[in-house]
Amino acid sequence: MDDRIDCTTDKKAQDESVDMRDVLDLAMNMGRVLLKNGAEIFRVEETIDHVCGRYKIGDVESFVMSNGIFITARDETEDIYAKVKHIPISGFHLGIVTEVNDLSREISAGKIGLKEARMRLEEIEKMPPKRGRFRILAAGIGSGCFCYLLQANFWESMIAVLIGCLLYVFVIFAENHRLTKIITNIVGGGFITVMALLALSIPWPFPVRMDKLIIGSILPLVPGVAFVNSIRDIANSDFISGIVRIVDALLVFVYIAIGVGFVLGCYNKITGGGWI
């Protein structure tokens, strides 16, 4: 019994001796990791509040945008903390978002200390994405299912599966070589169109329609998570962040359309569009 009381006392003393700047640095880094990997604005703000609330830091103000976090705080000694972090809009890793979200709940419940939380956050940030072959397979299946939903026949859907898999091989190549979003989506749209034209040139014993192949195979490039998150941000009155994200998502659609339109335009000029 005495040992439990001593442990509780030591834990409280340790919590009270925590420096405000260390806590806010941890909250800032957790928010950065969340925002970088596609979390919603309200989730980032809640995480910062959970961490600061756990260590009784009261006068905290956080302002989160789609590409930046602003935090200010003041403690009992009137020391002022202010920090701004720029986070470029990048890809999505919902596994990291889930892990950081769980970590914030553990911190809020007092199950984990500040030092251990920093170490856990470093490990979470290093989490690799899913293996390439699984992502390629998922892209192919998604393309085929989407093509089938557009009332394509079974064989058209199977061709879309193949095109979707090949497309995501290129997407992973672009990620590994740090190609920009503009190049990736323009070339990806053009690649889909070239593959659809090649499929159309083969004398299949069943009908093949180009529009079904192109629209179905585009699915792996569509920024669905970004688009949905932007709507959620707008619904939560985070209008600036929501508009920035929705414009970013809409630009991806424009890049894809440029790639598709360029290949189709070149094809029509060269051959007269006899297969379309």
Side-chain angles (χ1 to χ4, degrees), residues 38-114:
E40 307 92 328
I41 301 299
F42 77 89
R43 191 181 303 276
V44 178
E45 293 175 343
E46 283 183 354
T47 298
I48 294 172
D49 291 339
H50 281 308
V51 175
C52 295
R54 167 68 182 89
Y55 291 99
K56 305 296 187 292
I57 300 177
D59 192 9
V60 179
E61 295 290 341
S62 62
F63 179 63
V64 182
M65 300 180 65
S66 58
N67 58 350
I69 301 176
F70 306 78
I71 296 181
T72 61
R74 187 191 302 270
D75 63 6
E76 296 177 353
T77 61
E78 297 298 319
D79 287 337
I80 298 176
Y81 174 100
K83 193 168 186 178
V84 179
K85 194 74 174 179
H86 175 251
I87 300 100
I89 296 176
S90 55
F92 293 85
H93 194 319
L94 299 184
I96 290 179
V97 173
T98 302
E99 291 294 328
V100 176
N101 192 66
D102 292 341
L103 177 61
S104 70
R105 298 305 185 269
E106 292 181 21
I107 294 172
S108 180
K111 297 179 180 179
I112 186 172
L114 196 64

Side-chain angles (χ1 to χ4, degrees), residues 10-232:
D10 292 341
K11 186 177 180 180
K12 288 182 178 179
Q14 184 179 2
D15 289 346
E16 291 174 357
S17 63
V18 169
D19 184 64
M20 177 188 71
R21 296 181 181 275
D22 292 337
V23 176
L24 292 170
D25 282 340
L26 175 64
M28 171 68 84
N29 285 327
M30 291 179 69
R32 174 185 59 80
V33 173
L34 284 172
L35 201 59
K36 179 182 177 182
N37 289 281
E40 307 92 328
I41 301 299
F42 77 89
R43 191 181 303 276
V44 178
E45 293 175 343
E46 283 183 354
T47 298
I48 294 172
D49 291 339
H50 281 308
V51 175
C52 295
R54 167 68 182 89
Y55 291 99
K56 305 296 187 292
I57 300 177
D59 192 9
V60 179
E61 295 290 341
S62 62
F63 179 63
V64 182
M65 300 180 65
S66 58
N67 58 350
I69 301 176
F70 306 78
I71 296 181
T72 61
R74 187 191 302 270
D75 63 6
E76 296 177 353
T77 61
E78 297 298 319
D79 287 337
I80 298 176
Y81 174 100
K83 193 168 186 178
V84 179
K85 194 74 174 179
H86 175 251
I87 300 100
I89 296 176
S90 55
F92 293 85
H93 194 319
L94 299 184
I96 290 179
V97 173
T98 302
E99 291 294 328
V100 176
N101 192 66
D102 292 341
L103 177 61
S104 70
R105 298 305 185 269
E106 292 181 21
I107 294 172
S108 180
K111 297 179 180 179
I112 186 172
L114 196 64
K115 184 177 180 181
E116 186 180 353
R118 283 197 296 263
M119 295 174 62
R120 281 272 303 276
L121 183 62
E122 291 177 0
E123 294 174 359
I124 291 171
E125 192 171 7
K126 294 177 182 177
M127 284 178 57
K130 298 294 182 182
R131 292 185 179 181
R133 59 176 175 269
F134 295 136
R135 297 168 66 191
I136 291 169
L137 181 61
I141 293 174
S143 297
C145 292
F146 189 60
C147 188
Y148 190 76
L149 287 174
L150 295 173
Q151 299 181 346
N153 61 47
F154 174 79
W155 298 108
E156 287 173 330
S157 301
M158 291 298 100
I159 296 173
V161 170
L162 177 61
I163 296 176
C165 290
L166 294 176
L167 170 66
Y168 220 79
V169 171
F170 165 72
V171 171
I172 293 176
F173 171 83
E175 290 177 356
N176 293 336
H177 290 78
R178 301 182 182 277
L179 298 182
T180 64
K181 184 186 298 185
I182 297 176
I183 295 176
T184 301
N185 288 286
I186 290 177
V187 175
F191 175 80
I192 291 169
T193 310
V194 170
M195 295 301 296
L197 288 170
L198 290 175
L200 202 67
S201 67
I202 300 174
W204 304 102
F206 46 83
V208 175
R209 291 162 291 182
M210 177 181 291
D211 58 334
K212 305 296 183 184
L213 294 181
I214 293 178
I215 298 174
S217 304
I218 277 175
L219 184 64
L221 295 177
V222 174
V225 177
F227 194 80
V228 171
N229 283 352
S230 66
I231 300 299
R232 293 190 66 179

